[in-house]
């Protein structure tokens, strides 16, 4: 997989936020959020329910407009690139929609193809290559609603890969999945990292964030901290983000954390 359909200067950060603020349904969702990512960064976005993780992703994808501050994607306003692939939470998808796995992945090519145009041979090649990458090629003719949760998530990851993205935003991709399915998703993230794709993953699993991600953004409407797991997941930062909803247990000199507000499977 190439690094993206558009080439950008390597000196320009893929994502830069400065005093970013946003409202959702008339209520403040984010305020005073500032960070700058390097190309190819692999970042876990963590925080309690309602912290603004989904809002941040929708801002980067250009779905929502910020109420104040500045957000720049490869030197431009969000929404002006084909390079951002956004995979929403599985609970936001209507799985009754009558579409095959292959058709769902082809939907990721719409912006490259253009509305009301038929896919070209190159588009089908890209789709099949994406399905092979996520291990779903043999199920390309299955209805999306017939798949397991892990297979559905891999299908939507294939849709993201088919966009030939430079930035991938995954909102709770591991929620509700069994361990083998989670491992398969994490293997795909490894492939994206090797390809130089900047990946942001929203997750409730703080231990996973510490073990499998190079950087962490900790939110609770405001930015609490950003940086390496050792820098971000301190007792002071976690108590500020989660208040009474966090348990800290000392282990080998560092905290092991568990979000007391997590639902089963999150």
């Amino acid at each position: 997989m190439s690094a993206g359909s558009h080439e950008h200067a390597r000196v320009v950060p893929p994502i830069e936020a400065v005093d970013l603020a946003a409202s959702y349904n008339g209520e403040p969702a984010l305020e005073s959020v500032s960070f700058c990512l390097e190309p190819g960064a692999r970042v876990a976005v963590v925080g309690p329910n309602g912290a603004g993780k989904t809002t941040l992703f929708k801002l980067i994808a250009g779905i929502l407009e910020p109420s104040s501050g500045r957000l720049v994607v490869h030197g431009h306003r969000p929404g002006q690139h084909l390079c951002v692939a956004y995979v929403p939470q599985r609970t936001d998808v209507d799985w009754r929609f009558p579409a095959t796995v292959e058709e769902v992945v082809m939907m990721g090519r719409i912006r490259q193809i253009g509305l009301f145009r038929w896919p070209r041979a190159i588009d089908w090649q890209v789709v099949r290559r994406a399905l092979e990458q996520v291990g779903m090629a043999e199920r390309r003719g299955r209805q999306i609603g017939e798949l397991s949760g892990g297979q559905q998530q891999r299908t939507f990851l294939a849709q993201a890969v088919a966009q030939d993205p430079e930035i991938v935003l995954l909102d709770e991709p591991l929620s509700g999945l069994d361990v083998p399915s989670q491992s398969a998703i994490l293997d795909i993230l490894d492939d994206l990292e090797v390809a130089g794709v900047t990946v942001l993953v929203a997750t409730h699993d703080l231990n996973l964030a510490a073990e499998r991600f190079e950087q962490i953004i900790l939110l609770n409407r405001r930015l609490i901290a950003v940086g390496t797991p050792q820098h971000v997941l301190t007792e002071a930062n976690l108590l500020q983000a989660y208040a009474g909803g966090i348990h800290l247990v000392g282990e080998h000199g560092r905290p092991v954390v568990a979000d007391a507000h997590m639902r089963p499977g999150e």
Side-chain angles (χ1 to χ4, degrees):
M1 184 183 67
S2 66
S5 57
H6 296 313
E7 292 298 327
H8 300 284
R10 300 294 288 180
V11 296
V12 177
I15 304 172
E16 183 178 13
V18 180
D19 291 328
L20 187 65
S23 298
Y24 195 74
N25 293 330
E27 297 292 331
L30 284 177
E31 54 183 326
S32 302
V33 174
S34 298
F35 62 88
C36 184
L37 301 182
E38 295 292 326
R42 176 162 159 169
V43 184
V45 182
V46 301
N49 291 330
K53 300 185 292 292
T54 297
T55 298
L56 176 62
F57 282 9
K58 289 182 176 180
L59 289 167
I60 296 170
I63 298 170
L64 296 177
E65 289 284 338
S67 54
S68 63
R70 184 165 62 95
L71 179 62
V72 181
V73 177
H74 282 295
H76 299 276
R77 291 182 58 193
Q80 297 182 353
H81 292 281
L82 302 181
C83 66
V84 180
Y86 170 50
V87 180
Q89 295 185 34
R90 290 180 57 250
T91 54
D92 293 339
V93 178
D94 184 357
W95 298 107
R96 298 169 299 177
F97 187 76
T100 66
V101 167
E102 195 170 48
E103 291 167 342
V104 168
V105 177
M106 181 60 77
M107 293 175 189
R109 300 287 301 170
I110 288 176
R111 288 186 293 181
Q112 285 87 349
I113 298 168
L115 288 174
F116 310 116
R117 294 186 179 181
W118 292 102
R120 302 154 297 178
I122 184 62
D123 297 307
W124 288 112
Q125 291 173 10
V126 169
V127 166
R128 286 164 185 153
R129 187 165 61 243
L131 286 169
E132 289 172 359
Q133 184 172 344
V134 304
M136 289 295 293
E138 294 183 358
R139 296 178 174 84
R140 63 181 180 270
R142 295 277 301 276
Q143 290 291 314
I144 189 70
E146 299 173 355
L147 303 178
S148 69
Q151 291 167 347
Q152 289 173 341
Q153 194 65 63
R154 279 189 282 162
T155 298
F156 271 80
L157 261 176
Q159 185 189 80
V161 169
Q163 296 178 46
D164 202 13
E166 294 178 66
I167 298 171
V168 173
L169 311 170
L170 304 174
D171 197 350
E172 300 288 352
L174 306 178
S175 179
L177 302 186
D178 57 23
V179 172
S181 296
Q182 289 187 9
S183 296
I185 300 298
L186 290 169
D187 288 343
I188 296 167
L189 298 189
D190 291 340
D191 292 339
L192 293 173
E193 184 175 15
V194 170
V197 178
T198 302
V199 178
L200 279 73
V201 176
T203 179
H204 280 283
D205 192 332
L206 301 178
N207 295 310
L208 177 72
E211 294 167 3
R212 299 297 297 265
F213 291 83
E214 303 159 355
Q215 296 183 58
I216 295 177
I217 294 174
L218 177 60
L219 295 174
N220 192 350
R221 298 199 176 181
R222 291 177 175 269
L223 179 69
I224 306 299
V226 58
T228 64
Q230 293 78 10
H231 171 76
V232 173
L233 297 181
T234 65
E235 181 174 351
N237 287 341
L238 292 169
L239 289 173
Q240 185 179 354
Y242 291 88
I246 203 78
H247 299 300
L248 297 169
V249 180
E251 180 179 289
H252 306 303
R254 68 178 181 87
V256 175
V257 293
D259 184 351
H261 290 162
M262 285 196 324
R263 296 184 296 269
E266 290 187 335

